[in-house]
């Protein structure tokens, strides 16, 4: 059985969960087995709708202790549940929650783990999963040798496949949950912003914008596109933008449909964080900027002139569409 | 307080990524090795700051690897730390590394264990989580700040779309990223002192790997950039809409 971890936040199922469910459903088909979900706690969403992504059933452990996230408690609960239902492959999204959980479950079950997977496994001989390594500069094909296997898929690397006309069932699962040691004392939401790792479009700025006071034109463009905003390392280091926006080898790695880089030269460390983007647009006034070599489309020009025009052109395109 | 900092050896961020032996091995020729940036800039520096605040704190550094990992661990000792442990075996996979460190941690009983949030070579982001599960300690991943008063740690960690502040009593395993500390440069005094700091070599526990790398691949090269005039942004919008289907 393929078991997909149903990650949720603010009582809602996350987009990255739908990717993991779609991946799990395709994997179950490939292996000739069923796909189930595992939900810890409760959500407001109707779990039956997960049937649209070909999920058959959701096992739910609704213990009051699970209302607050504690990796140690969740790891033990998931490991016990996976054993109880007889899961042979467990699928997580490798988002922040997946990063907190998949490794611990792997260690408790002695189940081989591949994190940052970007494709379905090759099961023609063994069980080989392709993952991104060297911060996006290469891929590794990793063989899992244990009976129980765990895959954590990279966000935005597997397409959500919906549209099936089935409803998923919900089965309560009885697992003893022990309270943990972690207390959550505050949550700070970067309100109104689109999550960088989940975003379809990312608009990113570098030193070429000259100062934090000039970010307005970039924010206008991002708003028009419904995009998340990001920045290069020097911009994060100079505190022009919050450091969680820093994209690159030592920052966040993103894989959106569209990445628009404005005034970023394209150092190898920055490229490592963005080179899995499907389409890259580079706007830079230096025609020698190395980023152009990694781009699909480029404009050699002054960001301060190009950006407002681009925002306008997108507005017009949308109005006529 | 006893603090353990996990140190990994990785290729420099500018190293050329190439493979040999029928794409089965990373090509190490001409590669400069560094301390994994997350381990060095955040995990190790924060541990050093805690010792500067309270000199009674003891810092151990640990790495899993052959003798070729020693220059890296000496470099880490030059930044700070009281002694280093090298577990004398090639690192096979994340689980085997975590299990080796867990074997040491189970005897040494650390109050705090710091790792980087991931290594920049295999990007597993797994050692901290596995180690915490193996020694049955709380795990706080992706920390952006770490403070401790007595035995209670207050940690900010990244969650999707924001941050969360948690408190937890030690022992605790924390994976560190930007925000936890600022990068430091080793000074001559530190480099000299590192030469005489104890570096203990321990033989590995019997641990089997759960996974193995079959082969590597490099991404397909880009077809080449299509340049559009800055006076014709409408053309870019058209291409993004019709050709790339990105907007």
């Amino acid at each position: 059985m393929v078991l997909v971890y149903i990650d949720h936040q603010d009582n809602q199922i996350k987009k990255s969960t739908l990717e993991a469910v779609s991946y799990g459903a395709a994997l179950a088909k490939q292996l000739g087995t069923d796909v189930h979900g595992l939900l810890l706690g409760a959500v407001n969403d109707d779990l039956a709708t997960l049937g649209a992504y070909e999920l058959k059933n959701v096992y739910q452990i609704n213990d009051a202790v699970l209302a607050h996230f504690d990796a140690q408690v969740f790891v033990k609960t998931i490991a016990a549940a996976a054993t109880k239902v007889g899961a042979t492959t467990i699928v997580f999204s490798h988002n922040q929650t997946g990063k907190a959980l998949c490794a611990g479950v792997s260690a408790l079950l002695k189940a081989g783990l591949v994190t940052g997977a970007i494709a379905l496994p090759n099961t023609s001989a063994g069980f080989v999963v392709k993952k991104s390594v060297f911060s996006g500069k290469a891929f590794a094909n990793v063989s899992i040798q244990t009976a129980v296997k765990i895959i954590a898929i990279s966000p935005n690397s597997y397409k959500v496949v919906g549209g099936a006309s089935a409803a998923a069932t919900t089965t309560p699962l009885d697992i003893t949950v022990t309270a943990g040691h972690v207390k959550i004392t505050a949550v700070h939401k970067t309100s109104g912003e689109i999550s960088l790792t989940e975003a379809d479009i990312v608009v990113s700025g570098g030193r070429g914008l000259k100062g934090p006071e000039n970010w307005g034109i970039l924010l206008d463009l991002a708003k028009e596109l419904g995009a998340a905003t990001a920045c290069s390392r020097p911009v994060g280091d100079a505190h022009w933008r919050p450091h969680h926006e820093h994209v690159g080898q030592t920052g966040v790695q993103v894989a959106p449909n569209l990445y628009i880089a404005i005034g970023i030269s394209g150092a190898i460390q920055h490229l490592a964080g963005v080179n899995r983007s499907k389409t890259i647009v580079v706007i830079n006034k230096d025609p020698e900027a190395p980023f152009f070599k990694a781009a699909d489309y480029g404009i050699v020009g002054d960001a301060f002139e190009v950006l407002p025009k681009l925002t306008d052109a997108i507005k017009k395109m949308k109005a006529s569409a | 307080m006893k603090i353990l900092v996990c140190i990994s050896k990785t290729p420099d961020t500018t190293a050329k990524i190439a493979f040999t032996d029928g794409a089965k091995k990373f090509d190490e020729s001409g590669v400069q090795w560094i301390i994994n940036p997350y381990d060095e800039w955040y995990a190790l520096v924060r541990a050093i700051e805690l010792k500067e605040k309270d000199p009674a704190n003891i810092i151990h550094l640990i790495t899993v690897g052959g003798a070729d990992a020693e220059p890296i661990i000496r470099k880490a000792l030059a930044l700070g730390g009281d002694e280093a442990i090298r577990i004398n075996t090639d690192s096979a996979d994340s689980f085997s590394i975590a299990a080796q460190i867990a074997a040491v941690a189970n005897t040494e009983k650390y109050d705090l264990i710091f790792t980087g949030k991931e290594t920049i070579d295999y990007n597993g982001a797994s050692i901290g989580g596995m180690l915490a599960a193996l020694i049955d300690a709380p795990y706080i991943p992706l920390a952006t700040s770490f403070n401790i008063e007595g035995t209670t740690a207050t940690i900010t960690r990244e969650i999707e779309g924001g941050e969360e502040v948690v408190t937890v009593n030690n022992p605790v395993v924390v994976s560190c990223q930007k925000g936890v500390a600022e990068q430091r440069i080793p000074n001559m005094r530190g480099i000299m002192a590192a030469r005489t700091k104890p570096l203990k070599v321990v033989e590995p526990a019997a641990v089997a790997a759960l996974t193995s790398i079959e082969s590597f691949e490099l991404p397909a090269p880009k077809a080449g950039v299509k340049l559009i005039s800055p006076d014709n942004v409408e053309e870019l919008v058209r291409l993004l809409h019709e050709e790339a289907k990105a907007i």
Side-chain angles (χ1 to χ4, degrees), chain A residues 37-122:
Chain A
L38 176 63
L39 174 68
L40 274 59
V43 291
N44 292 335
D45 298 300
D46 182 5
L47 292 171
T49 59
L50 289 173
Y53 310 95
E54 300 195 36
L55 197 72
K56 216 178 140 177
N57 168 60
V58 180
Y59 290 107
Q60 184 175 21
I61 307 166
N62 199 357
D63 189 297
V65 169
L66 302 172
H68 302 288
F69 187 80
D70 179 335
Q72 189 184 19
V73 174
F74 274 52
V75 161
K76 286 183 194 176
T77 308
I78 295 167
T83 306
K84 188 161 184 174
V85 303
T88 48
T89 308
I90 309 169
V91 177
F92 290 89
S93 169
H94 204 224
N95 59 9
Q96 286 87 340
T97 320
K99 283 179 184 172
L101 300 175
C102 64
V105 176
S106 162
L108 290 187
L109 296 177
K110 306 274 179 287
L113 166 70
V114 175
T115 59
I118 54 160
L120 285 165
N122 180 346

Side-chain angles (χ1 to χ4, degrees), chain A residues 7 9 14 16 69 71-72 76 94-96 99-100 103-104 106-108 110-113 115 128 130-135 137-146 181-190 195 198 201 225 233 237 243 246 249-251 253 258 268-269 277-279 281 292-301 306 309-310 313-314 317, chain B residues 11-15 17 19 26 37-38 41-42 95 117-127 129-130 133-134 136-142 144 154 157-169 178-179 182-183 209-219 222 224-231 233-234 236-237 239-241 243-244 246-247:
Chain A
D7 185 24
Q9 195 171 339
K14 291 185 192 169
S16 50
F69 187 80
Q72 189 184 19
K76 286 183 194 176
H94 204 224
N95 59 9
Q96 286 87 340
K99 283 179 184 172
S106 162
L108 290 187
K110 306 274 179 287
L113 166 70
T115 59
V128 180
K130 188 171 180 171
K131 73 158 290 184
S132 168
V133 289
F134 294 101
S135 308
K137 288 178 214 159
F139 305 105
N141 296 301
V142 184
S143 163
I144 306 183
Q145 281 129 4
T146 49
H181 310 285
V182 176
K183 276 193 211 77
I184 300 169
T185 57
V187 176
H188 306 295
K189 284 281 165 62
T190 36
S195 155
E198 285 202 349
I201 305 178
L225 288 168
R233 184 173 170 207
D237 283 352
H243 73 74
H246 161 206
Q249 183 150 11
T250 54
Q253 274 122 46
L258 176 61
I268 189 166
Q269 294 91 339
S277 309
K278 286 190 189 70
T279 301
V281 174
F292 283 115
K293 288 199 181 70
D296 299 282
Y297 304 102
I299 291 183
V300 180
V306 173
K309 283 198 276 184
L310 184 57
I314 290 163
M317 191 268 294
Chain B
D12 184 23
T13 53
T14 56
I17 305 303
F19 304 100
F26 175 62
Y38 295 106
W41 301 349
Y42 311 123
F95 177 77
K117 76 158 181 172
E118 64 186 75
T119 60
I120 60 165
D121 48 9
Y122 297 109
N123 305 107
S126 306
I127 301 298
M130 289 178 170
L134 291 171
D136 197 15
Y139 177 49
I140 312 294
L142 305 174
T144 55
T154 302
R157 74 171 185 106
E158 178 194 323
I159 58 171
E160 237 164 302
E163 290 186 328
E164 185 176 88
V165 184
V166 301
T167 58
V168 61
N169 284 345
K178 199 165 194 165
E182 297 276 343
Q183 182 181 5
L210 309 177
T211 63
S212 63
I213 293 179
E214 299 284 294
S215 62
F216 292 99
E217 289 170 33
L218 288 169
K222 281 266 180 186
V225 60
K226 244 183 217 177
L227 286 177
I228 297 127
S229 154
D231 300 320
V233 292
E234 290 77 15
L236 175 64
V237 173
L239 287 167
L240 288 177
H241 185 61
E243 189 178 81
I247 57 174

